[in-house]
Amino acid sequence: MDCDQKETMDAMRAAEICRALGDLHRIQIVELLMNGELCGCRLLEHFRITQPTLSHHMKILAECGLVHCRKEWKNTFYSLDCETLMEFRSYIEHLNCGDGCRKRAEDCRCGE
């Protein structure tokens, strides 16, 4: 998915974001970017990883739409895509445990 492409959050898109956030470094990167845009060299200061490894993580975060990237001469700057993050948050919030979660199945005869 292109960094600029937007769509309504659905289960497949939410799963893609969950996979991206399923890595400790990537979720920590998102937390760092909550304070504003950072260049790759500043992000590297927080981790014991190589620049190619950081690039790999950033590519995954950008592909799922969580992060914007912009190049300026030799530096790449990263920022959160707040719209995608808010759509994801709304999607997760709709997965609440309402009364339906407590209902017991009735009349199941699949084992007979």
Side-chain angles (χ1 to χ4, degrees), residues 46-77:
H46 295 273
F47 303 100
R48 290 184 176 169
I49 59 175
T50 64
Q51 190 280 324
T53 299
L54 177 67
S55 292
H56 171 73
H57 288 308
M58 300 316 294
K59 179 182 180 210
I60 291 169
L61 290 170
E63 284 177 346
C64 75
L66 281 175
V67 170
H68 287 291
C69 27
R70 71 175 178 87
K71 287 242 182 216
E72 191 173 297
W73 196 53
K74 294 192 317 188
N75 295 320
T76 304
F77 292 86

Side-chain angles (χ1 to χ4, degrees), residues 96-108:
N96 66 34
C97 250
D99 291 336
C101 291
R102 292 176 186 84
K103 284 186 181 178
R104 298 185 67 92
E106 297 176 12
D107 299 325
C108 179

Side-chain angles (χ1 to χ4, degrees), residues 1 5-14 17 83-84 87-88 90-91:
M1 173 182 299
Q5 187 177 353
K6 299 286 180 230
E7 59 186 54
T8 304
M9 188 70 58
D10 61 10
M12 185 172 291
R13 181 118 193 266
I17 291 171
E83 186 177 331
T84 297
E87 287 176 9
F88 179 66
S90 292
Y91 181 84

